[in-house]
Structure formats: structure tokens, C-alpha cells
Amino acid sequence: MSRLTLVLGGVRAGKSAFALRLALRQAPSRASGRSQGEREGSRVLFVATAEAGDDEMAARIAAHRASRPAEWTTLEAPVDVVGALEPVVDGYDTVVLDCLTLWVSNLLLRAPDASAGEVIAAQAEELLALQERSAASWVVVSNEVGLGVIPPTELGRAFEDALGRVNQLFAAQADAVYFMAAGLPLQMKGEAGAGL
């Protein structure tokens, strides 16, 4: 059964590690109906939205890549996630998208005008429609940016507004939503323990 799980939290809260654990638990159960030969192929797709703009970010990306199972497929899609994912999603049982935060940032930096929030929300709705059409279970990671101070710049406020709206769209459609703090998951939506 296809599921959408959203994993929210602050920086270094353990979101990505938890999302990987969820995907590892989901993939074997979905593969159990296949023969041994069919199980050997990569059935988990990791969608990476980060771009290595500097050495520190390149090191973060390398560390994230090293933490994933080698048999998983990685799809780098920093901007056009729907366009990159749509032709291949049906070949996978599980999709891990890490993360909405960087995707929204990438979109906003490419078109930082007054209509950017509406454009980003429309693209998020397209991504959710693709998720709904696919047979794969999705685990999506995003930062919760609404707990801190209001950013002092117009671009910072536009980012916070756009990501907050995207997070709400994903949370509304999700079967389960987890909030991470200090590496510990708090389930906010869904049947208790679902996906664990």
C-alpha cells in the first residue's frame, strides 16, 4: 500500500537518519512478495535536492550519500523534481525525498519575485499529485522553520512563508507526520507506530 510520510524538524534534529530508517523498514515489506531475483534490484529511489555551492555543502552531500545503502538509486533534482521523477518513479517501491527545504530555497533563488510563493505552491501541488498517482511509498523530509524569529530580510521572510505553505500542503496529504527533536521522533499524524 502506497503511503506518504512527512518528517519535519530543525537543523541536525535527525530528520534524514529517521527517514532512511523508515525507508529501510518499508522497502523489505514491499519486496516480500517478489522472487529472490526480483528482490536483488534497487527498489528505493533517493531524490536529492541539495546543490554543492561550496566545499562545506559538498562535504555534507558526500556524508549523506555515504550514509545511504549502496544499492539505492540516487536522483539529483535540485529544481525540477516532478520532471525528473515522473518518468522513473514507477520503477521503485519507495521514494525518499530529502528535502523540501532545499528544493523550495532553490526555486525561490531562481525567481525571487512577488509571485514566487504562488509558483512554488503550484509546483508542490504537482509533486503531491505525482505522489498520489504513484504506487510507491514516499518519505519526505523538510525543515520546520516557523519556530524561530521572523527573518530580517524580505527574501528570508519569503522563504519562510513559502516553505511553511509547502509543509502544510504535504502534511495535509500525508498518512503520517513526524516531528524530530534531538534525534527523537514525535508522531503528529497517523496511526500510532505506522511505518515504524
Side-chain angles (χ1 to χ4, degrees):
M1 181 175 77
S2 175
R3 291 179 52 81
L4 172 59
T5 302
L6 178 63
V7 180
L8 293 168
V11 174
R12 293 290 186 213
K15 302 179 302 297
S16 294
F18 183 69
L20 295 184
R21 289 196 305 272
L22 286 175
L24 284 167
R25 289 187 179 127
Q26 287 177 3
S29 65
R30 292 184 58 83
S32 61
R34 292 192 201 94
S35 68
Q36 181 61 35
E38 291 174 308
R39 276 196 299 262
E40 289 172 0
S42 176
R43 301 295 298 181
V44 178
L45 178 64
F46 187 94
V47 182
T49 61
E51 293 182 294
D54 55 39
D55 290 343
E56 188 270 340
M57 192 60 175
R60 282 180 182 248
I61 291 170
H64 269 262
R65 190 175 291 127
S67 72
R68 297 192 293 269
E71 65 272 14
W72 288 12
T73 302
T74 297
L75 175 66
E76 294 184 7
V79 178
D80 186 10
V81 175
V82 173
L85 195 49
E86 193 162 26
V88 299
V89 70
D90 288 337
Y92 297 91
D93 296 317
T94 303
V95 173
V96 179
L97 195 158
D98 194 357
C99 66
L100 293 176
T101 312
L102 292 173
W103 178 57
V104 167
S105 175
N106 293 338
L107 290 171
L108 186 61
L109 291 174
R110 281 166 173 78
D113 59 33
S115 66
E118 296 301 318
V119 170
I120 291 168
Q123 290 195 35
E125 288 172 356
E126 286 180 32
L127 185 55
L128 284 165
L130 176 60
Q131 181 277 322
E132 202 165 47
R133 289 192 307 271
S134 78
S137 286
W138 290 37
V139 180
V140 178
V141 176
S142 190
N143 282 56
E144 174 51 63
V145 293
L147 300 175
V149 298
I150 296 172
T153 66
E154 184 177 350
L155 184 59
R157 291 187 297 274
F159 168 72
E160 197 170 70
D161 289 348
L163 183 59
R165 187 170 179 188
V166 168
N167 284 347
Q168 288 183 47
L169 290 170
F170 273 78
Q173 187 162 313
D175 298 291
V177 178
Y178 293 90
F179 184 80
M180 300 296 298
L184 301 173
L186 171 65
Q187 190 166 359
M188 302 173 69
K189 180 180 179 182
E191 186 180 326
L196 287 177

